[in-house]
Amino acid sequence: MEKPKKLLVLTGGGDCPGLNAVIRGVAKRARKEKGWEVYGSVEAFNGVFNEPQELIRLTSKVTAGIHVKGGTILKTTNKGNPLNFPVVQPDGSVQMSDRSDDLVRRLKELKFDAIVNIGGDGSQKISKALYDKGLPIIGVPKTIDNDLAATDVTFGFQTAVQIATDSFDKLVTTAESHHRVMIMEVMGRDAGWIALHTAIAGGAEICLIPEIPYDIHKLVRRLNLRYKKGRGFANIVVAEGAKPKEGTITSRAGEKGSEHVRLGGVAYQLSQQLKDAGCKAEIRETVLGHVQRGGTPVAFDRVLATLFGVKAFELVLANDFGKMVSFRNNTVTAVTLEEATSSHHVVEKDSYLVQAAKGLNISFGD
Ligand code: F6P
Protein backbone atom coordinates (compact mmCIF):
# COMPACT_ATOMS: atom_id res chain seq x y z
CA MET A 1 0.00 0.00 0.00
CA GLU A 2 1.23 3.48 -0.83
CA LYS A 3 2.31 5.65 2.11
CA PRO A 4 -0.12 8.49 2.89
CA LYS A 5 0.97 12.01 1.99
CA LYS A 6 1.15 14.41 4.90
CA LEU A 7 0.11 18.06 4.98
CA LEU A 8 0.67 20.46 7.88
CA VAL A 9 -1.52 23.53 8.43
CA LEU A 10 -0.75 26.33 10.90
CA THR A 11 -1.96 29.80 11.85
CA GLY A 12 0.52 32.55 12.80
CA GLY A 13 0.36 36.21 13.91
CA GLY A 14 -2.77 37.82 15.36
CA ASP A 15 -6.03 35.89 15.13
CA CYS A 16 -8.60 36.92 12.56
CA PRO A 17 -12.21 35.92 11.78
CA GLY A 18 -12.06 33.28 9.01
CA LEU A 19 -8.97 31.33 10.09
CA ASN A 20 -11.05 28.29 10.98
CA ALA A 21 -12.84 28.45 7.64
CA VAL A 22 -9.46 28.19 5.86
CA ILE A 23 -8.41 25.23 8.03
CA ARG A 24 -11.70 23.47 7.26
CA GLY A 25 -11.44 24.35 3.54
CA VAL A 26 -7.96 22.77 3.29
CA ALA A 27 -8.98 19.66 5.24
CA LYS A 28 -12.28 19.10 3.39
CA ARG A 29 -10.70 19.51 -0.05
CA ALA A 30 -7.86 17.15 0.93
CA ARG A 31 -10.38 14.51 2.03
CA LYS A 32 -11.68 14.37 -1.54
CA GLU A 33 -8.28 13.08 -2.70
CA LYS A 34 -7.03 9.63 -1.83
CA GLY A 35 -4.08 9.16 0.50
CA TRP A 36 -3.79 12.57 2.21
CA GLU A 37 -3.50 13.09 5.97
CA VAL A 38 -3.91 16.65 7.23
CA TYR A 39 -2.40 17.80 10.53
CA GLY A 40 -2.43 21.10 12.38
CA SER A 41 0.51 22.53 14.32
CA VAL A 42 -0.59 24.16 17.57
CA GLU A 43 0.39 27.84 18.02
CA ALA A 44 2.10 28.44 14.67
CA PHE A 45 5.38 26.46 14.45
CA ASN A 46 5.54 26.01 18.24
CA GLY A 47 3.70 22.71 17.83
CA VAL A 48 6.71 21.42 15.92
CA PHE A 49 9.29 22.89 18.34
CA ASN A 50 7.55 21.84 21.56
CA GLU A 51 8.63 18.70 23.39
CA PRO A 52 6.43 16.73 23.14
CA GLN A 53 5.30 18.05 19.75
CA GLU A 54 1.73 19.30 19.48
CA LEU A 55 0.35 18.19 16.14
CA ILE A 56 -3.36 17.51 15.75
CA ARG A 57 -4.82 15.23 13.07
CA LEU A 58 -7.52 17.31 11.35
CA THR A 59 -10.22 14.67 10.94
CA SER A 60 -13.75 15.52 9.83
CA LYS A 61 -14.82 15.35 13.47
CA VAL A 62 -12.27 18.05 14.39
CA THR A 63 -13.10 20.43 11.52
CA ALA A 64 -16.90 19.97 11.32
CA GLY A 65 -18.69 23.30 11.58
CA ILE A 66 -15.61 25.31 12.62
CA HIS A 67 -15.98 27.85 9.75
CA VAL A 68 -18.59 29.64 11.85
CA LYS A 69 -16.27 30.12 14.83
CA GLY A 70 -13.96 33.09 15.38
CA GLY A 71 -10.34 32.69 16.46
CA THR A 72 -8.37 29.61 15.45
CA ILE A 73 -8.79 26.06 16.72
CA LEU A 74 -5.01 25.71 16.21
CA LYS A 75 -4.17 28.70 18.45
CA THR A 76 -1.66 31.31 17.30
CA THR A 77 1.20 33.56 18.38
CA ASN A 78 2.95 36.65 17.08
CA LYS A 79 6.15 35.69 18.87
CA GLY A 80 6.91 32.48 16.95
CA ASN A 81 9.11 33.58 14.05
CA PRO A 82 11.50 30.62 13.56
CA LEU A 83 14.10 32.99 12.07
CA ASN A 84 14.02 35.22 15.14
CA PHE A 85 12.73 32.96 17.86
CA PRO A 86 12.52 34.01 21.52
CA VAL A 87 14.38 31.41 23.58
CA VAL A 88 14.05 31.62 27.38
CA GLN A 89 17.47 31.30 29.05
CA PRO A 90 18.08 29.46 32.36
CA ASP A 91 18.19 32.86 34.16
CA GLY A 92 14.73 33.74 32.79
CA SER A 93 16.00 36.28 30.22
CA VAL A 94 14.92 35.95 26.58
CA GLN A 95 17.39 35.72 23.70
CA MET A 96 16.47 35.74 20.03
CA SER A 97 17.80 32.90 17.94
CA ASP A 98 17.47 31.62 14.34
CA ARG A 99 15.81 28.21 14.61
CA SER A 100 14.78 27.90 10.96
CA ASP A 101 17.28 25.12 10.09
CA ASP A 102 16.12 23.18 13.15
CA LEU A 103 12.51 23.64 11.98
CA VAL A 104 13.24 22.45 8.44
CA ARG A 105 15.05 19.38 9.85
CA ARG A 106 12.14 18.55 12.17
CA LEU A 107 9.55 18.89 9.39
CA LYS A 108 11.61 16.63 7.12
CA GLU A 109 11.91 14.06 9.92
CA LEU A 110 8.14 14.21 10.37
CA LYS A 111 7.87 13.53 6.61
CA PHE A 112 5.55 16.39 5.74
CA ASP A 113 4.99 16.69 1.99
CA ALA A 114 3.45 20.16 2.20
CA ILE A 115 2.94 23.06 4.62
CA VAL A 116 0.10 25.61 4.49
CA ASN A 117 0.99 28.72 6.48
CA ILE A 118 -2.01 30.97 7.19
CA GLY A 119 -0.90 34.41 8.30
CA GLY A 120 -0.30 38.07 7.53
CA ASP A 121 2.63 40.03 6.27
CA GLY A 122 5.13 38.71 8.87
CA SER A 123 3.99 35.09 8.43
CA GLN A 124 4.35 35.24 4.65
CA LYS A 125 7.88 36.61 5.00
CA ILE A 126 8.55 33.51 7.11
CA SER A 127 6.92 31.33 4.39
CA LYS A 128 9.24 32.87 1.80
CA ALA A 129 12.38 32.29 3.91
CA LEU A 130 11.38 28.66 4.58
CA TYR A 131 10.57 28.07 0.91
CA ASP A 132 14.04 29.39 0.06
CA LYS A 133 15.41 26.80 2.49
CA GLY A 134 13.63 24.05 0.56
CA LEU A 135 10.29 23.62 2.34
CA PRO A 136 7.26 22.86 0.11
CA ILE A 137 5.11 25.71 1.45
CA ILE A 138 1.98 27.61 0.43
CA GLY A 139 0.91 30.89 2.08
CA VAL A 140 -2.66 31.95 2.81
CA PRO A 141 -3.07 35.68 3.55
CA LYS A 142 -5.06 36.84 6.58
CA THR A 143 -5.42 40.17 8.29
CA ILE A 144 -8.20 42.42 9.49
CA ASP A 145 -5.94 45.35 8.46
CA ASN A 146 -6.31 44.60 4.70
CA ASP A 147 -2.73 45.77 4.18
CA LEU A 148 -1.36 43.02 1.91
CA ALA A 149 -0.56 44.28 -1.59
CA ALA A 150 -0.77 41.04 -3.54
CA THR A 151 -4.45 40.40 -2.82
CA ASP A 152 -7.35 42.78 -3.40
CA VAL A 153 -8.93 41.74 -0.11
CA THR A 154 -8.15 39.60 2.91
CA PHE A 155 -10.70 37.72 4.99
CA GLY A 156 -11.33 39.23 8.42
CA PHE A 157 -11.47 42.77 7.07
CA GLN A 158 -15.21 42.81 6.31
CA THR A 159 -15.97 41.36 9.74
CA ALA A 160 -13.81 44.01 11.43
CA VAL A 161 -15.51 46.80 9.44
CA GLN A 162 -18.95 45.41 10.33
CA ILE A 163 -18.11 45.28 14.05
CA ALA A 164 -16.64 48.81 13.91
CA THR A 165 -19.68 50.12 12.01
CA ASP A 166 -22.14 48.54 14.47
CA SER A 167 -20.21 50.18 17.31
CA PHE A 168 -20.07 53.51 15.49
CA ASP A 169 -23.86 53.48 14.98
CA LYS A 170 -24.30 53.05 18.73
CA LEU A 171 -21.98 55.97 19.44
CA VAL A 172 -23.93 58.26 17.09
CA THR A 173 -27.11 58.10 19.16
CA THR A 174 -25.30 58.81 22.42
CA ALA A 175 -23.28 61.64 20.80
CA GLU A 176 -26.52 63.21 19.59
CA SER A 177 -28.27 62.83 22.94
CA HIS A 178 -25.43 64.53 24.87
CA HIS A 179 -24.24 67.05 22.25
CA ARG A 180 -20.86 65.39 22.50
CA VAL A 181 -17.91 64.70 20.28
CA MET A 182 -17.37 60.95 20.27
CA ILE A 183 -14.01 59.60 19.19
CA MET A 184 -13.88 55.95 18.19
CA GLU A 185 -10.47 54.35 17.70
CA VAL A 186 -10.16 51.36 15.38
CA MET A 187 -7.28 49.03 14.54
CA GLY A 188 -5.34 48.74 11.28
CA ARG A 189 -1.69 49.41 12.21
CA ASP A 190 -0.22 51.72 9.54
CA ALA A 191 -3.15 51.28 7.14
CA GLY A 192 -6.36 53.29 7.38
CA TRP A 193 -8.68 50.80 5.63
CA ILE A 194 -10.84 49.87 8.63
CA ALA A 195 -11.20 53.53 9.66
CA LEU A 196 -12.05 54.76 6.18
CA HIS A 197 -14.63 52.07 5.45
CA THR A 198 -16.22 52.55 8.88
CA ALA A 199 -16.33 56.34 8.44
CA ILE A 200 -18.15 56.00 5.12
CA ALA A 201 -20.46 53.20 6.33
CA GLY A 202 -21.31 55.03 9.56
CA GLY A 203 -21.36 58.61 8.26
CA ALA A 204 -18.55 60.15 10.32
CA GLU A 205 -17.78 63.86 10.34
CA ILE A 206 -14.04 63.24 10.71
CA CYS A 207 -11.86 60.28 9.72
CA LEU A 208 -8.18 60.22 10.68
CA ILE A 209 -5.86 57.69 9.05
CA PRO A 210 -2.09 57.08 9.17
CA GLU A 211 -1.66 57.92 5.49
CA ILE A 212 -2.97 61.52 5.97
CA PRO A 213 -1.45 63.32 9.00
CA TYR A 214 -3.97 65.73 10.50
CA ASP A 215 -3.85 69.42 11.44
CA ILE A 216 -5.49 69.73 14.86
CA HIS A 217 -6.53 73.36 14.26
CA LYS A 218 -8.43 72.39 11.11
CA LEU A 219 -10.27 69.74 13.11
CA VAL A 220 -11.26 72.23 15.82
CA ARG A 221 -12.49 74.70 13.18
CA ARG A 222 -14.53 71.94 11.60
CA LEU A 223 -16.08 70.90 14.92
CA ASN A 224 -16.84 74.48 15.94
CA LEU A 225 -18.53 75.13 12.62
CA ARG A 226 -20.69 72.04 13.04
CA TYR A 227 -21.77 73.16 16.52
CA LYS A 228 -22.40 76.71 15.25
CA LYS A 229 -24.67 75.34 12.51
CA GLY A 230 -26.79 73.73 15.21
CA ARG A 231 -25.64 70.13 14.70
CA GLY A 232 -24.54 69.88 18.30
CA PHE A 233 -22.64 66.63 18.11
CA ALA A 234 -19.96 64.95 16.02
CA ASN A 235 -18.51 61.48 15.50
CA ILE A 236 -14.86 60.87 14.73
CA VAL A 237 -13.24 57.62 13.58
CA VAL A 238 -9.51 57.51 14.22
CA ALA A 239 -7.19 54.71 13.09
CA GLU A 240 -4.78 53.55 15.78
CA GLY A 241 -1.80 54.55 13.59
CA ALA A 242 -3.03 58.11 12.85
CA LYS A 243 -0.75 61.00 13.78
CA PRO A 244 -0.82 64.80 13.75
CA LYS A 245 1.17 66.72 11.11
CA GLU A 246 3.62 67.74 13.80
CA GLY A 247 3.88 64.60 15.86
CA THR A 248 4.33 60.89 16.10
CA ILE A 249 2.13 57.81 16.39
CA THR A 250 0.90 56.69 19.81
CA SER A 251 2.73 53.48 20.62
CA ARG A 252 4.54 51.51 23.27
CA ALA A 253 7.07 48.69 23.18
CA GLY A 254 5.72 45.26 22.29
CA GLU A 255 6.18 42.24 24.54
CA LYS A 256 9.53 40.42 24.48
CA GLY A 257 9.87 38.48 21.25
CA SER A 258 7.15 40.47 19.47
CA GLU A 259 8.22 42.00 16.17
CA HIS A 260 5.93 45.02 16.41
CA VAL A 261 5.45 48.02 18.65
CA ARG A 262 1.99 48.05 20.21
CA LEU A 263 -0.38 50.71 18.93
CA GLY A 264 -3.47 51.95 20.74
CA GLY A 265 -4.54 54.98 22.73
CA VAL A 266 -4.50 57.63 20.00
CA ALA A 267 -8.17 58.42 20.85
CA TYR A 268 -7.08 59.81 24.23
CA GLN A 269 -4.22 61.80 22.69
CA LEU A 270 -6.56 63.26 20.11
CA SER A 271 -9.12 64.16 22.75
CA GLN A 272 -6.48 66.10 24.72
CA GLN A 273 -5.12 67.75 21.57
CA LEU A 274 -8.63 68.93 20.63
CA LYS A 275 -9.18 70.41 24.09
CA ASP A 276 -5.75 72.09 24.07
CA ALA A 277 -6.50 73.57 20.65
CA GLY A 278 -9.75 75.14 21.91
CA CYS A 279 -12.51 72.61 21.31
CA LYS A 280 -15.21 73.49 23.83
CA ALA A 281 -17.46 70.45 23.37
CA GLU A 282 -17.52 67.54 25.75
CA ILE A 283 -15.48 64.71 24.32
CA ARG A 284 -15.61 60.98 25.04
CA GLU A 285 -13.28 58.29 23.75
CA THR A 286 -13.90 54.64 22.82
CA VAL A 287 -11.03 52.31 21.96
CA LEU A 288 -12.62 49.33 20.21
CA GLY A 289 -9.57 47.09 20.42
CA HIS A 290 -9.72 43.35 20.00
CA VAL A 291 -13.52 43.06 19.68
CA GLN A 292 -12.81 43.93 16.03
CA ARG A 293 -11.17 40.56 15.48
CA GLY A 294 -13.39 38.47 17.71
CA GLY A 295 -16.43 36.33 17.08
CA THR A 296 -18.14 34.93 14.04
CA PRO A 297 -16.86 35.92 10.59
CA VAL A 298 -19.44 37.57 8.32
CA ALA A 299 -20.56 35.48 5.32
CA PHE A 300 -18.20 37.27 2.88
CA ASP A 301 -15.17 36.40 5.02
CA ARG A 302 -16.32 32.80 5.47
CA VAL A 303 -16.66 32.38 1.71
CA LEU A 304 -13.30 34.02 0.93
CA ALA A 305 -11.49 32.06 3.64
CA THR A 306 -13.04 28.77 2.52
CA LEU A 307 -12.07 29.41 -1.11
CA PHE A 308 -8.53 30.26 0.02
CA GLY A 309 -8.36 26.93 1.88
CA VAL A 310 -9.58 24.96 -1.14
CA LYS A 311 -7.15 26.79 -3.44
CA ALA A 312 -4.23 26.23 -1.06
CA PHE A 313 -4.78 22.47 -1.23
CA GLU A 314 -5.15 22.57 -5.01
CA LEU A 315 -1.75 24.31 -5.25
CA VAL A 316 -0.32 21.53 -3.05
CA LEU A 317 -1.84 18.89 -5.38
CA ALA A 318 -0.28 20.64 -8.37
CA ASN A 319 3.12 20.80 -6.58
CA ASP A 320 2.97 24.56 -7.15
CA PHE A 321 4.85 25.61 -4.03
CA GLY A 322 6.33 28.99 -3.08
CA LYS A 323 2.98 30.66 -3.80
CA MET A 324 0.47 32.65 -1.77
CA VAL A 325 -3.23 32.31 -2.46
CA SER A 326 -4.75 35.62 -3.50
CA PHE A 327 -8.02 37.24 -4.57
CA ARG A 328 -7.64 39.42 -7.63
CA ASN A 329 -10.04 40.74 -10.26
CA ASN A 330 -12.92 38.90 -8.65
CA THR A 331 -11.31 35.48 -8.69
CA VAL A 332 -9.12 33.30 -6.48
CA THR A 333 -5.62 32.93 -7.86
CA ALA A 334 -2.02 32.67 -6.61
CA VAL A 335 1.06 34.90 -6.60
CA THR A 336 4.67 34.08 -5.77
CA LEU A 337 5.70 34.54 -2.13
CA GLU A 338 8.29 36.96 -3.48
CA GLU A 339 5.56 39.20 -4.92
CA ALA A 340 3.33 38.65 -1.88
CA THR A 341 5.92 40.08 0.49
CA SER A 342 7.45 42.82 -1.61
CA SER A 343 5.06 45.67 -0.92
CA HIS A 344 2.48 46.99 1.47
CA HIS A 345 -1.11 48.05 0.70
CA VAL A 346 -2.08 51.34 2.31
CA VAL A 347 -4.73 53.95 1.49
CA GLU A 348 -3.63 56.25 -1.34
CA LYS A 349 -4.26 59.90 -0.56
CA ASP A 350 -5.56 60.52 -4.07
CA SER A 351 -7.62 57.34 -4.36
CA TYR A 352 -11.28 57.48 -5.29
CA LEU A 353 -12.23 56.19 -1.83
CA VAL A 354 -10.62 59.22 -0.14
CA GLN A 355 -11.98 61.62 -2.77
CA ALA A 356 -15.48 60.15 -2.38
CA ALA A 357 -15.25 60.45 1.42
CA LYS A 358 -14.26 64.11 1.00
CA GLY A 359 -17.19 64.47 -1.40
CA LEU A 360 -19.38 63.33 1.50
CA ASN A 361 -17.84 66.12 3.58
CA ILE A 362 -15.83 63.75 5.76
CA SER A 363 -12.79 65.69 6.97
CA PHE A 364 -9.34 64.08 7.14
CA GLY A 365 -7.90 67.14 8.86
CA ASP A 366 -5.50 67.79 5.95
O1 F6P B 1 -2.66 43.15 12.60
C1 F6P B 1 -3.87 42.95 13.25
C2 F6P B 1 -3.93 43.76 14.52
O2 F6P B 1 -5.20 43.52 15.11
C3 F6P B 1 -3.65 45.24 14.34
O3 F6P B 1 -4.75 45.92 13.78
C4 F6P B 1 -3.29 45.63 15.75
O4 F6P B 1 -2.45 46.77 15.81
C5 F6P B 1 -2.51 44.43 16.22
O5 F6P B 1 -2.95 43.34 15.43
C6 F6P B 1 -2.73 44.13 17.69
O6 F6P B 1 -1.88 43.10 18.03
P1 F6P B 1 -1.98 42.33 19.41
O7 F6P B 1 -3.07 41.31 19.27
O8 F6P B 1 -0.65 41.70 19.55
O9 F6P B 1 -2.29 43.31 20.47
Side-chain angles (χ1 to χ4, degrees):
M1 211 176 75
E2 238 182 90
K3 273 203 313 212
K5 290 200 158 194
K6 288 173 68 179
L7 168 71
L8 186 69
V9 185
L10 58 127
T11 51
D15 73 333
C16 171
L19 288 172
N20 286 325
V22 183
I23 296 168
R24 174 174 165 275
V26 173
K28 282 200 83 159
R29 180 63 185 83
R31 262 176 237 135
K32 284 199 66 130
E33 302 296 323
K34 277 211 174 66
W36 278 92
E37 288 181 354
V38 181
Y39 294 81
S41 171
V42 172
E43 226 181 59
F45 285 112
N46 286 351
V48 181
F49 284 129
N50 289 347
E51 312 277 357
Q53 286 172 330
E54 289 182 90
L55 305 177
I56 302 168
R57 179 84 189 269
L58 297 176
T59 60
S60 57
K61 201 165 164 196
V62 174
T63 61
I66 60 169
H67 58 301
V68 176
K69 267 185 76 175
T72 159
I73 61 157
L74 293 177
K75 317 291 180 226
T76 188
T77 175
N78 52 17
K79 297 185 276 295
N81 181 354
L83 294 114
N84 193 26
F85 199 84
V87 181
V88 184
Q89 305 300 303
D91 67 355
S93 64
V94 176
Q95 281 203 359
M96 306 312 282
S97 136
D98 183 350
R99 295 191 68 187
S100 56
D101 289 334
D102 180 25
L103 177 69
V104 172
R105 184 185 53 76
R106 284 168 185 252
L107 289 168
K108 284 191 175 154
E109 270 170 21
L110 289 161
K111 300 206 179 332
F112 278 110
D113 298 282
I115 321 288
V116 173
N117 188 14
I118 313 167
D121 197 21
S123 300
Q124 299 320 329
K125 286 191 175 122
I126 296 168
S127 299
K128 161 91 176 58
L130 295 174
Y131 176 67
D132 291 343
K133 284 179 182 270
L135 271 194
I137 196 160
I138 299 292
V140 176
K142 70 87 218 179
T143 169
I144 62 163
D145 303 336
N146 200 35
D147 59 352
L148 294 175
T151 183
D152 294 348
V153 275
T154 50
F155 62 85
F157 173 65
Q158 290 297 340
T159 305
V161 170
Q162 191 61 56
I163 293 168
T165 302
D166 290 345
S167 309
F168 183 90
D169 292 347
K170 293 183 171 104
L171 290 171
V172 170
T173 53
T174 168
E176 190 169 12
S177 306
H178 281 271
H179 304 292
R180 280 175 174 160
V181 172
M182 291 298 220
I183 303 175
M184 186 178 85
E185 176 182 322
V186 297
M187 283 183 163
R189 294 207 71 83
D190 44 6
W193 296 110
I194 299 177
L196 184 48
H197 280 251
T198 304
I200 293 174
E205 279 67 55
I206 292 172
C207 173
L208 304 177
I209 60 175
E211 296 87 341
I212 307 178
Y214 59 87
D215 177 336
I216 195 73
H217 301 289
K218 285 196 177 159
L219 296 181
V220 173
R221 276 202 295 278
R222 172 65 192 264
L223 290 171
N224 287 347
L225 192 68
R226 189 169 157 86
Y227 274 82
K228 224 165 100 187
K229 281 186 174 164
R231 304 296 303 274
F233 72 101
N235 286 80
I236 301 177
V237 181
V238 58
E240 60 181 2
K243 54 179 182 297
K245 278 190 175 158
E246 327 273 309
T248 50
I249 54 166
T250 309
S251 67
R252 62 210 133 123
E255 291 104 351
K256 276 237 158 88
S258 165
E259 313 225 303
H260 293 294
V261 292
R262 283 186 68 196
L263 302 182
V266 66
Y268 299 103
Q269 301 283 344
L270 176 66
S271 174
Q272 194 55 52
Q273 289 161 3
L274 287 171
K275 283 174 202 153
D276 293 346
C279 178
K280 297 276 179 304
E282 264 187 11
I283 308 176
R284 292 291 185 269
E285 313 79 13
T286 302
V287 178
L288 271 194
H290 291 79
V291 292
Q292 288 160 94
R293 7 189 266 227
T296 300
V298 296
F300 178 90
D301 285 337
R302 286 186 213 179
V303 174
L304 186 63
T306 303
L307 297 186
F308 276 2
V310 170
K311 180 73 176 177
F313 183 74
E314 286 171 351
L315 291 170
V316 168
L317 261 191
N319 275 317
D320 199 1
F321 295 106
K323 297 278 173 71
M324 185 187 82
V325 173
S326 144
F327 187 79
R328 272 184 166 168
N329 304 324
N330 226 12
T331 190
V332 176
T333 176
V335 295
T336 62
L337 284 170
E338 170 93 56
E339 185 186 346
T341 51
S342 57
S343 59
H344 204 51
H345 176 54
V346 292
V347 176
E348 300 279 340
K349 237 181 123 145
D350 302 323
S351 62
Y352 185 70
L353 204 59
V354 172
Q355 295 315 317
K358 286 186 174 175
L360 294 164
N361 212 20
I362 297 174
S363 165
F364 291 80
D366 59 340

Coordinates of all heavy atoms in Angstrom, one line a residue, residues 14-15 78 142-145 147 187-189 194 240 255 258 261-263 290 293, ligand 1:
G14 N -1.5 37.6 14.6 CA -2.8 37.8 15.4 C -3.9 37.0 14.8 O -3.9 36.6 13.6
D15 N -4.9 36.7 15.6 CA -6.0 35.9 15.1 C -6.9 36.8 14.3 O -6.7 38.0 14.2 CB -6.8 35.2 16.3 CG -7.6 36.2 17.1 OD1 -7.2 37.4 17.1 OD2 -8.6 35.8 17.6
N78 N 2.2 35.7 17.9 CA 2.9 36.6 17.1 C 4.4 36.7 17.6 O 5.1 37.7 17.3 CB 2.3 38.0 16.9 CG 1.9 38.6 18.3 OD1 2.4 38.2 19.3 ND2 1.0 39.6 18.2
K142 N -4.0 36.4 5.7 CA -5.1 36.8 6.6 C -4.7 38.1 7.2 O -3.5 38.4 7.5 CB -5.3 35.8 7.6 CG -4.2 35.6 8.7 CD -4.3 36.5 9.9 CE -2.9 36.9 10.4 NZ -2.9 37.8 11.5
T143 N -5.6 39.0 7.4 CA -5.4 40.2 8.3 C -6.7 41.0 8.3 O -7.3 41.2 7.2 CB -4.2 41.1 7.9 OG1 -4.3 42.3 8.6 CG2 -4.2 41.4 6.4
I144 N -7.1 41.5 9.5 CA -8.2 42.4 9.5 C -7.8 43.8 8.9 O -8.6 44.6 8.5 CB -8.8 42.6 10.9 CG1 -7.7 43.2 11.9 CG2 -9.3 41.4 11.5 CD1 -8.3 43.8 13.1
D145 N -6.4 44.0 8.9 CA -5.9 45.4 8.5 C -6.1 45.6 6.9 O -6.0 46.7 6.5 CB -4.5 45.5 8.9 CG -4.2 45.3 10.3 OD1 -5.2 45.5 11.1 OD2 -3.1 45.0 10.7
D147 N -3.9 45.0 4.6 CA -2.7 45.8 4.2 C -1.8 44.9 3.3 O -0.6 45.3 3.2 CB -2.0 46.4 5.4 CG -1.5 45.3 6.4 OD1 -1.9 44.1 6.2 OD2 -0.8 45.6 7.3
M187 N -8.6 49.6 14.8 CA -7.3 49.0 14.5 C -6.9 49.3 13.1 O -7.5 50.0 12.4 CB -7.3 47.5 14.8 CG -7.3 47.2 16.3 SD -7.2 45.4 16.5 CE -6.6 45.3 18.2
G188 N -5.8 48.6 12.7 CA -5.3 48.7 11.3 C -3.8 48.9 11.1 O -3.4 49.1 10.0
R189 N -3.1 49.1 12.2 CA -1.7 49.4 12.2 C -1.4 50.6 11.3 O -2.1 51.6 11.5 CB -0.8 48.2 11.8 CG -0.9 47.1 12.8 CD 0.3 46.2 12.8 NE 1.5 46.9 13.3 CZ 1.8 47.0 14.6 NH1 1.0 46.4 15.5 NH2 2.8 47.6 15.0
I194 N -9.7 50.1 7.8 CA -10.8 49.9 8.6 C -11.5 51.2 9.0 O -12.7 51.4 8.9 CB -10.4 49.1 9.9 CG1 -9.8 47.8 9.6 CG2 -11.6 49.0 10.9 CD1 -9.3 47.0 10.8
E240 N -5.8 53.6 14.7 CA -4.8 53.5 15.8 C -3.4 54.1 15.4 O -2.6 54.6 16.2 CB -4.6 52.1 16.3 CG -4.1 51.1 15.2 CD -4.0 49.7 15.7 OE1 -4.3 49.4 16.9 OE2 -3.6 48.8 14.9
E255 N 5.6 43.2 23.6 CA 6.2 42.2 24.5 C 7.5 41.7 24.0 O 7.7 41.7 22.8 CB 5.2 41.1 24.8 CG 3.9 41.5 25.5 CD 2.8 41.6 24.6 OE1 2.9 41.5 23.3 OE2 1.6 41.8 25.1
S258 N 8.1 40.0 20.5 CA 7.1 40.5 19.5 C 7.9 41.4 18.5 O 8.8 42.1 18.9 CB 6.0 41.2 20.2 OG 5.3 42.0 19.2
V261 N 5.8 47.2 17.5 CA 5.5 48.0 18.7 C 3.9 47.9 18.8 O 3.3 47.4 17.9 CB 5.8 49.5 18.4 CG1 7.2 49.8 18.3 CG2 5.1 50.1 17.2
R262 N 3.4 48.2 20.0 CA 2.0 48.1 20.2 C 1.4 49.4 20.0 O 1.8 50.4 20.6 CB 1.7 47.5 21.6 CG 1.9 46.1 21.8 CD 1.5 45.6 23.1 NE 0.0 45.6 23.3 CZ -0.6 45.5 24.4 NH1 0.1 45.4 25.5 NH2 -1.9 45.6 24.5
L263 N 0.3 49.5 19.2 CA -0.4 50.7 18.9 C -1.6 50.7 19.9 O -1.9 49.7 20.5 CB -0.8 50.8 17.5 CG 0.3 50.8 16.4 CD1 -0.2 50.9 15.0 CD2 1.4 51.8 16.7
H290 N -9.7 44.7 20.6 CA -9.7 43.4 20.0 C -11.1 42.8 19.7 O -11.2 41.8 19.1 CB -8.9 42.4 20.9 CG -7.5 42.7 20.9 ND1 -6.9 43.7 21.6 CD2 -6.5 42.1 20.2 CE1 -5.6 43.8 21.4 NE2 -5.3 42.8 20.6
R293 N -11.6 41.8 16.1 CA -11.2 40.6 15.5 C -11.8 39.3 16.1 O -11.4 38.2 15.9 CB -9.7 40.3 15.5 CG -8.8 41.3 16.2 CD -7.3 40.9 15.8 NE -6.7 40.0 16.7 CZ -5.5 40.2 17.2 NH1 -4.8 41.2 16.9 NH2 -5.0 39.4 18.1
Ligands
F6P1 O1 -2.7 43.2 12.6 C1 -3.9 43.0 13.2 C2 -3.9 43.8 14.5 O2 -5.2 43.5 15.1 C3 -3.7 45.2 14.3 O3 -4.7 45.9 13.8 C4 -3.3 45.6 15.8 O4 -2.4 46.8 15.8 C5 -2.5 44.4 16.2 O5 -3.0 43.3 15.4 C6 -2.7 44.1 17.7 O6 -1.9 43.1 18.0 P1 -2.0 42.3 19.4 O7 -3.1 41.3 19.3 O8 -0.7 41.7 19.5 O9 -2.3 43.3 20.5

